[in-house]
Amino acid sequence: CALWDLAAKQAGKPVWELAGLPAPRPVETAYTISVGTPAEMAAAAHRASDRTLLKVKLSGAGDLERIEAVRAAAPASRLIVDANEAWTPAVYRDLAPLLADLGVALIEQPLRAAEDTALGMLPHPVPLCADESAHDRKGLEQLARRYDAINIKLDKTGGLTEGIELAKAALGLGLSIMIGCMVGTSLAMAPALLLANDAAFVDLDGPLLLARDRAPGLTYEGSLVLPPPAELWG
C-alpha cells in the first residue's frame, strides 16, 4: 500500500486511477459490538442503535441470548454476526435458522477454518462469509462451494495488489465480498476503501475503536466513512 501511495505521488494521480478502479465514494461501515454478557452487549448496542449496520462478535455458548439482546436493543439496525470459528456444525445447524428469524444479514466464519468443509453440505438460511478461511486467491474455488461471501482484509491478502485481484476473482465466482479490517488507524483503512464500491458489506471501523487515531484521518459521518484525503494516503 505504501508503494501504491508512492507511485501515485510520483505520477500526480490518485491510486484508484492508476489501478483502473472507480473513484471511492462514501460507504456504509459496520460498527463492532464486542463479545460480552447479553446485558453488556445490549447496552453497547443501545448506545450504537443509531448506526445502520452492527457487527456482533460471538463466542459459542450463550450466543443466541446475545443476539436476542442486541436485536432488542437495536431493532432498526442490520446485523452481521461474527462467530470467530467458535461453533461446531451441530451448533451452526441449530442457530442459523434462528438467526435468520432475528433478521441477521450475514454469518461470518461459523466453523474453524480447518473444519469448514461441512458448510458445503449444510443449508444456508443466512449467507455465510469466510474470514479466517480466506486469505488470497489460493483455494478460492473451494471456498465458493462452502460460502456465499468472503471477507477481504488487506492485512491478510498481503496488500492492495492482491486485494484487487482477490476481489475480481471472488466476484467472478459469484461470491459477494465484504471489505474488513484489523484494528488499526485510518492509514490502514484508506487503501481498503478503493475496494468498497463493489462490496455487499464494509467493516472499516478500526479507527473508531482506538483511543486516538492518526491525523489527518478518515472522516466518519454516522454510519458512513468518506474517501481518504490525499494527505492521508493515495
Side-chain angles (χ1 to χ4, degrees), residues 38-120:
E40 291 168 342
M41 296 177 72
H46 178 71
R47 292 191 295 270
S49 59
D50 59 332
R51 296 183 181 273
T52 55
L53 180 63
L54 298 178
K55 177 173 175 174
V56 184
K57 294 283 191 176
L58 299 178
S59 63
D63 281 347
L64 180 59
E65 291 76 15
R66 293 183 176 98
I67 289 296
E68 288 175 335
V70 168
R71 170 50 77 208
S77 301
R78 293 192 300 150
L79 301 182
I80 299 168
V81 302
D82 184 0
N84 278 124
E85 304 182 277
W87 298 349
T88 64
V91 169
Y92 167 80
R93 192 182 296 109
D94 291 341
L95 278 184
L98 301 177
L99 297 185
D101 292 341
L102 289 167
V104 171
L106 191 72
I107 297 173
E108 195 176 344
Q109 198 67 44
L111 307 183
R112 291 175 59 87
E115 302 168 358
D116 67 355
T117 306
L119 295 174

Side-chain angles (χ1 to χ4, degrees), residues 92-180:
Y92 167 80
R93 192 182 296 109
D94 291 341
L95 278 184
L98 301 177
L99 297 185
D101 292 341
L102 289 167
V104 171
L106 191 72
I107 297 173
E108 195 176 344
Q109 198 67 44
L111 307 183
R112 291 175 59 87
E115 302 168 358
D116 67 355
T117 306
L119 295 174
M121 298 173 283
L122 292 169
H124 295 193
V126 178
L128 299 183
C129 180
D131 183 5
E132 285 82 1
S133 292
H135 296 268
D136 50 27
R137 284 171 286 172
K138 183 178 180 181
L140 189 59
E141 292 185 2
Q142 288 80 8
L143 290 181
R145 294 193 284 268
R146 306 168 193 171
Y147 294 92
D148 307 288
I150 63 167
N151 188 344
I152 298 175
K153 297 177 180 176
L154 299 188
D155 310 70
K156 291 190 302 176
T157 68
L160 180 60
T161 303
E162 179 63 18
I164 293 171
E165 296 304 319
L166 177 57
K168 290 178 183 176
L171 292 169
L173 289 171
L175 289 162
S176 298
I177 60 174
M178 177 180 182
I179 304 303

